[in-house]
Coordinates of all heavy atoms in Angstrom, one line a residue:
T1 N 10.9 -26.4 26.3 CA 10.6 -26.1 27.7 C 11.1 -27.2 28.6 O 11.6 -27.0 29.7 CB 9.1 -25.9 27.8 OG1 8.7 -24.6 27.3 CG2 8.7 -25.9 29.3
T2 N 10.9 -28.5 28.1 CA 11.3 -29.6 28.9 C 12.8 -29.6 29.0 O 13.4 -29.9 30.1 CB 10.9 -30.9 28.2 OG1 9.4 -30.9 28.0 CG2 11.2 -32.1 29.0
E3 N 13.5 -29.3 28.0 CA 15.0 -29.2 28.1 C 15.4 -28.1 29.0 O 16.4 -28.3 29.8 CB 15.6 -29.0 26.7 CG 17.1 -29.0 26.7 CD 17.7 -28.8 25.3 OE1 17.0 -28.6 24.3 OE2 19.0 -28.7 25.3
L4 N 14.8 -27.0 28.9 CA 15.1 -25.9 29.8 C 14.9 -26.2 31.2 O 15.7 -25.9 32.1 CB 14.2 -24.7 29.4 CG 14.4 -23.4 30.3 CD1 15.8 -22.9 30.3 CD2 13.4 -22.3 29.8
A5 N 13.8 -26.9 31.6 CA 13.6 -27.3 33.0 C 14.7 -28.2 33.5 O 15.1 -28.1 34.6 CB 12.2 -28.0 33.1
R6 N 15.1 -29.1 32.6 CA 16.3 -30.0 33.1 C 17.5 -29.2 33.4 O 18.2 -29.4 34.4 CB 16.5 -31.1 32.0 CG 15.5 -32.1 31.9 CD 16.0 -33.4 31.1 NE 16.2 -33.0 29.8 CZ 15.4 -33.3 28.7 NH1 14.2 -33.9 29.0 NH2 15.7 -33.0 27.5
H7 N 17.8 -28.2 32.5 CA 19.0 -27.4 32.7 C 18.8 -26.5 33.9 O 19.7 -26.2 34.7 CB 19.2 -26.5 31.5 CG 19.9 -27.2 30.4 ND1 21.3 -27.6 30.4 CD2 19.5 -27.8 29.2 CE1 21.6 -28.2 29.3 NE2 20.6 -28.3 28.6
A8 N 17.6 -26.0 34.1 CA 17.3 -25.1 35.3 C 17.6 -25.8 36.6 O 18.1 -25.2 37.5 CB 15.8 -24.6 35.2
E9 N 17.2 -27.1 36.6 CA 17.5 -27.9 37.8 C 19.0 -28.0 38.0 O 19.5 -27.9 39.2 CB 16.9 -29.3 37.7 CG 17.0 -30.2 38.9 CD 16.1 -31.4 38.7 OE1 16.6 -32.4 38.1 OE2 15.0 -31.4 39.3
E10 N 19.8 -28.3 37.0 CA 21.2 -28.4 37.1 C 21.9 -27.1 37.5 O 22.9 -27.1 38.2 CB 21.8 -28.9 35.7 CG 21.3 -30.2 35.3 CD 21.7 -30.6 33.8 OE1 22.3 -29.7 33.2 OE2 21.4 -31.6 33.3
W11 N 21.3 -26.0 37.0 CA 22.0 -24.7 37.2 C 21.7 -24.1 38.6 O 22.3 -23.2 39.0 CB 21.5 -23.7 36.2 CG 22.0 -23.9 34.8 CD1 23.2 -24.5 34.5 CD2 21.4 -23.6 33.6 NE1 23.4 -24.5 33.1 CE2 22.3 -24.0 32.5 CE3 20.2 -23.0 33.2 CZ2 21.9 -23.8 31.2 CZ3 19.9 -22.8 31.9 CH2 20.7 -23.2 30.9
G12 N 20.6 -24.6 39.3 CA 20.3 -24.2 40.6 C 19.2 -23.2 40.7 O 19.0 -22.6 41.8
Y13 N 18.4 -23.1 39.7 CA 17.2 -22.3 39.8 C 16.2 -23.0 40.8 O 16.2 -24.2 40.9 CB 16.5 -22.1 38.5 CG 17.1 -21.1 37.6 CD1 18.0 -21.5 36.6 CD2 16.8 -19.8 37.7 CE1 18.6 -20.6 35.7 CE2 17.4 -18.8 36.8 CZ 18.3 -19.2 35.9 OH 18.9 -18.3 35.0
H14 N 15.5 -22.2 41.6 CA 14.7 -22.8 42.7 C 13.4 -23.4 42.2 O 13.0 -24.5 42.6 CB 14.4 -21.8 43.8 CG 13.6 -22.3 44.9 ND1 14.2 -23.2 45.8 CD2 12.4 -22.1 45.3 CE1 13.3 -23.6 46.7 NE2 12.1 -22.9 46.4
R15 N 12.7 -22.6 41.4 CA 11.4 -23.1 40.9 C 11.2 -22.8 39.4 O 11.9 -21.9 38.9 CB 10.2 -22.6 41.8 CG 10.1 -21.1 41.9 CD 8.9 -20.8 42.8 NE 9.4 -20.2 44.1 CZ 9.1 -20.7 45.3 NH1 8.3 -21.7 45.4 NH2 9.6 -20.1 46.4
F16 N 10.3 -23.5 38.8 CA 10.1 -23.3 37.4 C 8.6 -23.3 37.2 O 7.9 -24.4 37.4 CB 10.7 -24.5 36.6 CG 10.7 -24.4 35.1 CD1 11.9 -24.0 34.5 CD2 9.6 -24.7 34.4 CE1 12.0 -24.0 33.1 CE2 9.7 -24.7 33.0 CZ 10.9 -24.3 32.3
W17 N 8.0 -22.2 36.9 CA 6.6 -22.0 36.7 C 6.2 -21.9 35.3 O 6.9 -21.3 34.5 CB 6.1 -20.8 37.5 CG 6.0 -21.0 39.0 CD1 6.4 -22.1 39.7 CD2 5.5 -20.0 39.9 NE1 6.2 -21.9 41.0 CE2 5.6 -20.6 41.2 CE3 5.0 -18.7 39.8 CZ2 5.3 -20.0 42.4 CZ3 4.6 -18.1 41.0 CH2 4.8 -18.7 42.2
V18 N 5.0 -22.3 34.9 CA 4.4 -22.1 33.6 C 3.1 -21.5 33.8 O 2.4 -21.6 34.8 CB 4.3 -23.5 32.8 CG1 5.7 -24.0 32.6 CG2 3.4 -24.5 33.6
A19 N 2.6 -20.7 32.8 CA 1.5 -19.9 32.9 C 0.3 -20.3 31.9 O 0.6 -20.7 30.8 CB 1.8 -18.4 32.7
E20 N -0.9 -20.0 32.4 CA -2.1 -20.3 31.6 C -2.4 -19.2 30.7 O -2.6 -18.0 31.1 CB -3.3 -20.6 32.5 CG -4.6 -20.8 31.7 CD -5.8 -21.0 32.6 OE1 -5.6 -21.1 33.8 OE2 -6.9 -20.9 32.1
H21 N -2.3 -19.4 29.4 CA -2.7 -18.4 28.4 C -3.6 -19.1 27.3 O -3.4 -20.3 27.1 CB -1.6 -17.8 27.7 CG -0.7 -16.9 28.6 ND1 0.3 -17.4 29.4 CD2 -0.8 -15.5 28.8 CE1 0.8 -16.4 30.0 NE2 0.2 -15.2 29.7
H22 N -4.5 -18.4 26.7 CA -5.4 -19.0 25.7 C -5.5 -18.1 24.5 O -5.4 -16.9 24.6 CB -6.8 -19.2 26.3 CG -6.9 -20.1 27.5 ND1 -6.9 -21.4 27.4 CD2 -6.9 -19.7 28.8 CE1 -6.9 -21.9 28.6 NE2 -6.9 -20.9 29.5
G23 N -5.6 -18.7 23.3 CA -5.7 -18.0 22.1 C -4.5 -17.2 21.7 O -4.6 -16.3 20.9
M24 N -3.3 -17.6 22.2 CA -2.1 -16.9 21.8 C -1.1 -17.9 21.1 O -0.5 -18.8 21.8 CB -1.4 -16.4 23.1 CG -2.2 -15.4 23.9 SD -1.4 -14.7 25.3 CE -2.7 -13.8 26.0
P25 N -1.0 -17.8 19.8 CA -0.2 -18.8 19.1 C 1.3 -18.8 19.5 O 2.0 -19.7 19.3 CB -0.3 -18.3 17.6 CG -1.6 -17.6 17.6 CD -1.7 -16.9 18.9
G26 N 1.7 -17.7 20.2 CA 3.1 -17.7 20.6 C 3.4 -18.3 22.0 O 4.5 -18.3 22.5
V27 N 2.3 -18.8 22.6 CA 2.4 -19.4 23.9 C 1.8 -20.8 23.9 O 0.6 -20.9 23.6 CB 1.8 -18.5 25.0 CG1 1.9 -19.2 26.4 CG2 2.5 -17.2 25.0
A28 N 2.5 -21.8 24.3 CA 2.0 -23.2 24.2 C 1.5 -23.8 25.5 O 1.1 -24.9 25.6 CB 3.0 -24.2 23.6
S29 N 1.6 -23.0 26.6 CA 1.3 -23.5 27.9 C -0.2 -23.2 28.3 O -0.4 -22.5 29.3 CB 2.2 -22.8 29.0 OG 2.2 -21.4 28.9
S30 N -1.1 -23.6 27.5 CA -2.5 -23.4 27.8 C -3.1 -24.1 29.0 O -4.0 -23.6 29.6 CB -3.4 -23.7 26.6 OG -3.2 -25.1 26.2
T31 N -2.5 -25.2 29.3 CA -3.0 -26.1 30.4 C -1.8 -26.4 31.4 O -1.1 -27.4 31.3 CB -3.6 -27.4 29.9 OG1 -4.5 -27.1 28.8 CG2 -4.3 -28.1 31.0
P32 N -1.6 -25.5 32.4 CA -0.4 -25.7 33.2 C -0.3 -27.0 33.9 O 0.8 -27.6 34.0 CB -0.5 -24.6 34.3 CG -1.3 -23.5 33.5 CD -2.2 -24.2 32.6
A33 N -1.5 -27.6 34.4 CA -1.4 -28.8 35.2 C -0.9 -30.0 34.3 O -0.1 -30.8 34.8 CB -2.8 -29.2 35.7
V34 N -1.2 -30.0 33.0 CA -0.7 -31.1 32.2 C 0.8 -30.9 31.9 O 1.5 -31.9 32.0 CB -1.5 -31.0 30.8 CG1 -0.9 -32.1 29.8 CG2 -3.0 -31.3 31.0
L35 N 1.2 -29.7 31.7 CA 2.6 -29.4 31.4 C 3.5 -29.7 32.7 O 4.6 -30.2 32.6 CB 2.8 -28.0 30.9 CG 4.2 -27.6 30.5 CD1 4.8 -28.6 29.5 CD2 4.2 -26.2 29.9
I36 N 2.9 -29.3 33.9 CA 3.7 -29.5 35.1 C 3.9 -31.0 35.3 O 5.0 -31.5 35.8 CB 2.9 -28.9 36.3 CG1 3.0 -27.4 36.2 CG2 3.5 -29.3 37.6 CD1 2.0 -26.7 37.1
A37 N 2.9 -31.8 35.1 CA 3.0 -33.3 35.2 C 4.1 -33.8 34.3 O 4.9 -34.7 34.7 CB 1.7 -34.0 34.9
H38 N 4.2 -33.3 33.1 CA 5.2 -33.7 32.2 C 6.6 -33.3 32.6 O 7.5 -34.1 32.6 CB 4.9 -33.1 30.8 CG 6.0 -33.4 29.8 ND1 6.2 -34.6 29.2 CD2 6.9 -32.5 29.3 CE1 7.2 -34.5 28.3 NE2 7.7 -33.2 28.4
L39 N 6.7 -32.1 33.1 CA 8.0 -31.6 33.5 C 8.5 -32.3 34.8 O 9.7 -32.6 35.0 CB 7.9 -30.1 33.8 CG 7.6 -29.2 32.6 CD1 7.5 -27.7 33.0 CD2 8.7 -29.3 31.5
G40 N 7.5 -32.7 35.6 CA 7.9 -33.4 36.8 C 8.5 -34.8 36.5 O 9.4 -35.3 37.3
A41 N 8.1 -35.4 35.4 CA 8.6 -36.7 35.0 C 10.0 -36.6 34.4 O 10.7 -37.6 34.3 CB 7.7 -37.3 34.0
H42 N 10.4 -35.3 34.1 CA 11.7 -35.1 33.5 C 12.7 -34.4 34.4 O 13.8 -34.0 34.0 CB 11.6 -34.4 32.2 CG 11.0 -35.2 31.1 ND1 9.6 -35.4 31.0 CD2 11.5 -35.9 30.1 CE1 9.3 -36.2 29.9 NE2 10.5 -36.5 29.4
T43 N 12.3 -34.1 35.6 CA 13.2 -33.5 36.6 C 13.0 -34.3 38.0 O 12.1 -35.1 38.1 CB 12.8 -32.0 36.8 OG1 11.4 -31.9 37.1 CG2 13.1 -31.2 35.6
S44 N 13.8 -33.9 38.9 CA 13.7 -34.7 40.2 C 13.7 -33.8 41.4 O 13.1 -34.2 42.5 CB 14.9 -35.7 40.3 OG 16.1 -35.0 40.2
T45 N 14.2 -32.6 41.4 CA 14.3 -31.8 42.6 C 13.7 -30.4 42.4 O 13.3 -29.7 43.3 CB 15.7 -31.6 43.1 OG1 16.5 -31.0 42.1 CG2 16.3 -32.9 43.5
L46 N 13.6 -29.9 41.1 CA 13.1 -28.6 40.8 C 11.6 -28.4 41.3 O 10.8 -29.3 41.0 CB 13.2 -28.4 39.3 CG 12.9 -27.0 38.7 CD1 13.9 -26.0 39.2 CD2 12.9 -27.1 37.2
R47 N 11.3 -27.3 41.9 CA 10.0 -27.0 42.3 C 9.2 -26.6 41.0 O 9.8 -25.8 40.2 CB 9.8 -25.9 43.3 CG 10.3 -26.3 44.7 CD 9.7 -25.4 45.8 NE 8.3 -25.5 45.9 CZ 7.6 -26.4 46.6 NH1 8.3 -27.3 47.4 NH2 6.3 -26.4 46.7

């Protein structure tokens, strides 16, 4: 996901959202605020 966010910024996507899900082994984004903070540190302009 982190690598994808960096590429999304380079490719010109406007925003990159992650979703809150629980109890789903196929989805790792259970806590969006934590993941957003991490992605923000690895991008510079992407919303």
Side-chain angles (χ1 to χ4, degrees):
T1 287
T2 305
E3 183 182 359
L4 175 59
R6 289 196 295 261
H7 280 285
E9 184 170 83
E10 295 170 1
W11 290 331
Y13 283 96
H14 181 70
R15 58 183 109 233
F16 190 100
W17 284 3
V18 295
E20 176 184 348
H21 292 85
H22 301 279
M24 299 181 187
V27 178
S29 56
S30 58
T31 313
V34 175
L35 185 52
I36 291 168
H38 172 76
L39 296 176
H42 289 82
T43 55
S44 57
T45 60
L46 187 65
R47 288 199 68 85

